[in-house]
Amino acid sequence: MDFDYGEQAEAFRHELRAWLATNLDPGWRDHVDVVDSEASEDILTNEWIKEWSRKLYEAGFKGIHWPAEYGGRGLSLLEQIVYAEEMFRADAPPAGNFLAETLVGPTIIHYGSDEQKKRFLDPILSGEELWCQGFSEPDAGSDLASLKTRAVLDGDEWVITGQKVWTSLGHIADYCFLLARTDPDAPKHKGISYLLVPMKQAGVTVRPLTQISRIAEFNEVFFDEAHCPAENVVGGVNNGWKVAMTTLGFERGSSVTTQALRFRRELEAFIEIAKSTAGAGGRPKSEDPLVRQELAKAYTAVHIMKAQAYRSLTALIEKGDPGPAGSVNKIFWSEYHRWVTELGMSLRGFEGQVIGPDYALDAEQVAYLFAKSETIWGGTAEIQRNIVGERILGLPKEPKPQ
Amino acid sequence: MNFAFTEEQEELRKGARSFLENYSASEQVRALMETDTGYDPDIWGRIGAELGWPSLIVPEEYGGSGFTYVELIAVMEEMGRALLCAPFFSSVCLAGNALLVAGTEDQKQEHLPGIASGETIATLAYTEQNGRWDADGVTATAKKDGSDYVLNGTKTYVIDGHTADLLVVAARAEGTAAADGVSLFVVDAGSAGIERRKLNTMDMTRKQAEVKLSDVRVPAANLMGNEGEAWDSMVKVLDLAAVALAAEQVGGAQKCLDMSVEYAKVRVQFGRPIGSFQAIKHKCADMLLEVESARSASYYAGWAAAEDNEELPVVAPLAKAYCSDTYFHCAAENIQIHGGIGFTWEHDCHLYFKRAKSTEIYLGDATYHRELLAQRIGL
Ligand SMILES: Cc1cc2nc3c(=O)[nH]c(=O)nc-3n(C[C@H](O)[C@H](O)[C@H](O)COP(=O)(O)OP(=O)(O)OC[C@H]3O[C@@H](n4cnc5c(N)ncnc54)[C@H](O)[C@@H]3O)c2cc1C
């Protein structure tokens, strides 16, 4: 066992740290009024953050682990981790094209053709093209493979008809990575293709749906004979299920490395609240043995996430694919986060329930409500347990319907 | 032995359910939660005049119908189920109980008839920015000045504080601490020196307000009981309010269970209703277990309140703690079982989730009530 990142990674750390010292205004929060959450519309559309993203891109600090020939930095996963650590350390703004950088980008790198890599990767890193994920449908959520959206090849174009739902950021996205049925006669997992579809076209209608935070961040997306070029299929026609599983693997597994850092900061804020608010007998809540127990449990969980991340990372470096172990991480962090944000709200008491006009929420309130969805999106906590049971433990499947 | 509602009580409950299904359906709740006042004067008027719910616990001599706490919790449960947006809990369970427990004969004669008929909207102005429910939480002051008292301080998180006609205000004599020196006053909400501001809160179905008191003069006749000796009454009022709120929580939790079960039967994934998966079936079964246990705790506490017996100080915090946990858990599971749709504003899951949280915090959270319980059972 060895936590030494090695010379190359440390040199990169050095370089990035120096660059941040001269280029990041530590008072950036004064110009940017966004609620801190990586994938929020606020972040993607805020002019200051867009400019910051662009600056990172131009300085070569985007796509650290992506191939250099497609606009990335061509370094190893270790440098990617170092990057996350340093950004955290410098309290840098959340920047980037989250869904694209974490989901479709890595999927294209894994399965895409050379042309696809050339066409799509660089605009993801530069932030020129935003993406959304078109997987779920009204009748195909957990049972994703039962999706009904059809794509039919017409000359050199796919013609797409159907409906997607819960499409995060669909209303601002330029492209959608979409699953469509391309062979209706094949068994359900075998007739699906993974398509890259432009959103700004006549056949696509986006209808926003409001979340429990009153923010309209996801959408219904209707495809009515929408088009995309025939070559925009990733990983081969009717091979989309396999490609989608890779994307979901990234969704469940890869972000765990940076997650522990974010959770650490959030927990520090809760600890501050406990120290600065009075509890029973007027003493700080942090002196309450029950609160101490809970906060110590939270600290333990964040520490375990970090250690677990190192182990996952080791496996990822060796095998190149997070695999089903990503499900273990997803269950752990999503359930932790649901619990700890509830704890945070309990510590704040009444005050934590007071919001601004027009349902304006602060970052902790958003996190508390949004945590309710983290055990749902990317595969629900129940589905992740099924995956752990069946794919890791090899337990028999639940009985099929008669 | 018969630990169940009588036929008459059961009729009352059923009547409440059917009225609320018509007049506190989702659309009405959603319309009212967007208003500043948070209630519909017509519906509130009918609840007072036709249904007589606010009169249930008020004795006939004060214009009430002289029923008991058991009838009250039967309707509270239904109001919780329907997320009724109305000043019932504030007027009846907070201010009404305060007048019944601590009011002088004159005060009861003067104010209870209005509360019983629903014409007077009243509330308890107790908590302050410190959010505490123990006696030390009260820092607002009351100073004797001639034949008046002068009140100063800021009350906040006051339920319906911005719409109430009448406030029951907790304040203490300067220089006193803890239980010593706390007094209660009946205060006309329109008195000079009172400034009220509605708060925006995550749960929009029940409104809270900040009430600032700057040199508010009230006649000595508005003092409830003896000066500085209100704490014991206050404890009783908070216990009674906790019993009522626990019943509301049972109703909300039951509704979450019903929504989940209904959805689990019709939502099909992998070719089967999701309720056929043990992961979901067991969640629903656990919810039922909790809701039924919470109901037992709530009914027992309602009975103890009706009997006004010595068990109340123990069973009230017990019920409030258990029902708070149950409601919050059921409301969260309800979202999880609904998947994506449960995370939308349009679906009602979140309204219950947010009400569960606001009722959990109000009167002190589950940890606070378990601590009270521990103290009261001699730990
Ligand atoms: C905030 C948010 C953002 C999202 N963003 C996107 C996006 O950008 N793109 C996209 O494509 N999708 C997105 N989704 C959709 C998400 O992936 C689905 O909601 C999720 O897969 C669950 O599907 P469902 O909502 O249809 O619920 P269902 O599948 O109907 O599940 C309902 C309940 O049944 C349970 N269940 C289902 N099957 C089983 C089983 N076999 N065993 C045990 N329990 C089971 C589930 O765990 C859940 O509790 C988002 C969802 C949310 C909440």
Side-chain angles (χ1 to χ4, degrees), chain B residues 12-14 16-18 20 53 73-84 247-248 251:
Chain B
L12 175 71
R13 197 192 57 73
K14 279 196 194 136
R17 163 117 17 139
S18 79
L20 293 168
W53 299 342
I73 64 165
V75 293
M76 274 307 281
E77 188 177 324
E78 293 304 325
M79 287 186 252
R81 178 185 180 86
L83 293 175
L84 175 68
E248 177 183 307

Side-chain angles (χ1 to χ4, degrees), chain A residues 133 135-136 141-142 166 168 380 382 386, chain B residues 267 277 336-337 340:
Chain A
Q133 176 181 22
F135 283 19
S136 307
S142 297
W166 321 129
S168 301
T380 67
E382 292 73 40
N386 287 347
Chain B
R267 171 66 174 171
F277 298 117
Q336 182 68 21
I337 289 172

